[in-house]
Amino acid sequence: MAQQGGGTSTLLRGTAIFAAAATAVLYLLGLLLVGLTVSEVGSGTNSTPMHQCVYASNVPEGAQVETHEVRYLPVHILCRTTDGRVFNSGTVPSWLNPALAVSFAAAIALAGAAFVQADRRAAARQASARS
C-alpha cells in the first residue's frame, strides 16, 4: 500500500536536488568566466590593465583603469580607476548572479519543505503504529 504524501516528499526532494545542482552549475560557470578572463591578464601585449576593464561599456568618462579585483560572491570582476572609482567589468553576464541567488534560495526552501514533509510522515507513522 502506498503511503500518503510519499509522492509529494519525493517530488520535493528531487526538485531540491535539481535546484542545488543548478546552483552549482551556475556558480561554476561564473568561476569559469572569471578564471578565463583573469588568466588572460598575465600574458600578451597590453594585458595590464585588464582588457575587459579598459573597454567596458560602463567605464567612467575620463577615467584611467589601474587594476582589477575578483569577487567570488557575487561572482564578478571589479575594475578600479586611478582616482578610486570602481565599476563592474561586465565579464560575468548580468543574469548570472540573480539566477544563482534564486536557485540557491529555491534549493534551501525545497530542502526545508522536504524535511518538514518527511517529519510529518514519520509522526503520522508513529501515531498509527501506537493505535
Side-chain angles (χ1 to χ4, degrees):
M1 183 169 141
Q3 292 183 351
Q4 194 174 24
T8 304
S9 181
T10 302
L11 179 64
L12 285 172
R13 280 182 283 164
T15 311
I17 291 168
F18 178 77
T23 301
V25 167
L26 288 170
Y27 190 68
L28 290 174
L29 174 64
L31 291 179
L32 178 68
L33 291 170
V34 167
L36 289 173
T37 301
V38 171
S39 72
E40 292 177 5
V41 173
S43 61
T45 308
N46 277 341
S47 59
T48 304
M50 187 170 27
H51 176 76
Q52 286 79 358
C53 287
V54 174
Y55 297 107
S57 61
N58 56 344
V59 176
E61 191 172 322
Q64 185 177 5
V65 177
E66 181 178 37
T67 187
H68 68 277
E69 180 181 333
V70 175
R71 297 279 175 96
Y72 297 103
L73 208 54
V75 182
H76 62 280
I77 298 175
L78 292 177
C79 304
R80 190 172 307 278
T81 62
T82 53
D83 59 358
R85 291 185 276 181
V86 178
F87 62 95
N88 193 337
S89 70
T91 301
V92 176
S94 60
W95 57 264
L96 192 130
N97 285 310
L100 183 61
V102 167
S103 66
F104 179 73
I108 297 299
L110 289 165
F115 282 123
V116 168
Q117 180 70 16
D119 189 47
R120 287 181 181 166
R121 280 187 29 217
R125 242 181 285 144
Q126 285 180 349
S128 68
R130 287 186 215 158
S131 302

